[in-house]
Amino acid sequence: MSKEDWNTEDFVLDQVKKNGKALYYASRRLKNTKHIVLAAIQQTEGAIPYVSYHLLDDKEVIQFIVQNYVKWFNLASIRLKSDKDLVLRAVRQKGYTLLHASAELKDDRDV
């Protein structure tokens, strides 16, 4: 496998479907490609540390993470930690995730 392979969408998608942690080797561009990242984290939560900051601000990606691996909610962007619906979903699964919510939502009696 060459460095160029890790910049090829089809190659990287195939690799992360087999082993999500292969996202580590993907090019920066492909670490910012939502369907590749979702395929990687669907395969294993071990791929989550390699998700780009850009996609940690993507509601669909964070919703998937909350639904399947709520303990990683702390990596969500500040903007998404202020999303009441998303925070409620996380808190319903694991109450301690409220610690990572925005200050405004921590004070919200509905949460």
Side-chain angles (χ1 to χ4, degrees), residues 23-89:
L23 184 62
Y24 172 83
Y25 299 104
S27 67
R28 181 174 292 159
R29 176 181 67 85
L30 294 177
K31 286 180 183 175
N32 280 306
T33 304
K34 187 188 304 189
H35 72 276
I36 289 177
V37 168
L38 286 172
I41 60 179
Q42 283 173 345
Q43 201 281 324
T44 179
E45 72 178 291
I48 294 172
Y50 310 121
V51 175
S52 71
Y53 289 115
H54 171 75
L55 288 178
L56 291 173
D57 188 46
D58 183 284
K59 189 169 182 175
E60 183 182 349
V61 171
I62 296 301
Q63 281 178 327
F64 181 85
I65 289 172
V66 165
Q67 182 179 351
N68 296 282
Y69 315 110
V70 70
K71 70 181 182 181
W72 292 96
F73 177 69
N74 64 309
L75 295 179
S77 68
I78 293 169
R79 179 181 72 85
L80 293 178
K81 289 177 182 177
S82 296
D83 183 299
K84 188 172 183 174
D85 177 58
L86 200 53
V87 170
L88 279 171
R89 288 179 191 202

